Amino acid sequence: MKRSEPGFLNLTADNIEREHICCAIAGQQHEEGVARKKKFLARGFKDGLVFRKLDVRGKVFVEYAPAEAAWRPVHAPGYLVIHCLWVSGRYKGKQLGRELLEHCVEAVGDRHGVVSVSGRRPYVTDTRFYVHHGFEVIDRTETGFDLVCFKQNAAASSPRFSESAKRGTVRQDKGVHFEYVYQCPFVPDCLRQMSEVAREFGLDVTTRELATVKSAQEAASPFGTFGAFLYGRLLTHELMSPNKFRKLLEGQLSAEGKPSA
C-alpha cells in the first residue's frame, strides 16, 4: 500500500530552485556544492534523469537515469541506473527505501531492468538491501564494489562494470589524484580539504573533473562521483573529513613504507 502522508515529489526544472536536494540542507556550509548539484540535475532532466524525494526536511530520496545518460562506470544499455538511494535519520525503518526502489522498478517501462552500484561502505546502498528486494549481484570490482540488477527482460544481456572501474587504477601515479563529478553537494568542500591534507604529507596533488557522461562511464572509481587515488590506485571513494582522510593516508603510506610527513 502506498503511503499518503507525507507524499513523494519529483524535482523538475520548474521547482528545483525552491526545493531542497535532501543531502545538504542545513545552513550554508555546502552552498557552492548545492548550487553545482542543482545545475547538474537541471542538465540531467533533459536526458531523463529523475530525482524523487519524500516531501519532508530530511534525507529520503532516489536519483536515477537511463543508462545511456547515467554518470556511473557501468555498461548497461537498455537499463535504468540508480545513482543514489538514501534514507537516513528518523526516516529509517519506515519502508521508505523499499517504496523508492519499487518506484524505480515501476519506472522501467519497456527497458530491460534496473541496476545500481552497491556494497557495504559509506555513500553506497548496502548490497543486502537490494538482494532482499529481488536484485542479484551480477558483477564485482577488485576494489570491493558490487553491481546489482533487477531484470525485467530475462533474455537481455547482463550489465557490467567498465574495465577501468574493475581495476580501480588511473594513469596518474604520482602522489594523490582526485577524480570527481559535481553530482554530490559535498564534493567542492571535501575536495579542497582532502587536497590540503595530501599536501601536508608532501604529496603532489592532481585533480580531474569528469565533466561528461562518457568520462564518468569510464571512471576508475566504481562510485563514479568521487575517487581519491594514491600512486595510481584507488584509495577511497568516500568524501572524507580532513581528520579521517589524514588517518587513512598515514596508515596507507606506513603500510607502503613511505614517509608519512
Side-chain angles (χ1 to χ4, degrees), residues 31-120:
E31 187 174 5
E32 178 190 352
V34 169
R36 287 185 178 275
K37 171 68 175 182
K38 287 191 172 186
K39 184 180 293 186
F40 170 87
L41 289 173
R43 181 174 61 177
F45 292 153
K46 301 172 185 177
D47 297 317
L49 182 149
V50 173
F51 187 102
R52 184 173 179 80
K53 68 172 186 172
L54 191 67
D55 193 13
V56 295
R57 193 167 178 79
K59 299 178 179 67
V60 186
F61 71 96
V62 67
E63 178 183 317
Y64 62 90
E68 297 76 14
W71 294 68
R72 288 292 178 270
V74 300
H75 181 73
Y79 287 81
L80 291 179
V81 176
I82 295 175
H83 285 158
C84 187
L85 194 160
W86 194 357
V87 177
S88 70
R90 64 191 179 93
Y91 298 102
K92 285 185 175 181
K94 300 180 183 295
Q95 300 299 309
L96 292 166
R98 174 185 59 78
E99 290 188 38
L100 289 169
L101 191 59
E102 286 177 351
H103 168 81
C104 293
V105 171
E106 291 170 1
V108 166
D110 59 0
R111 288 182 167 268
H112 301 321
V114 186
V115 299
S116 183
V117 177
S118 64
R120 296 189 66 182

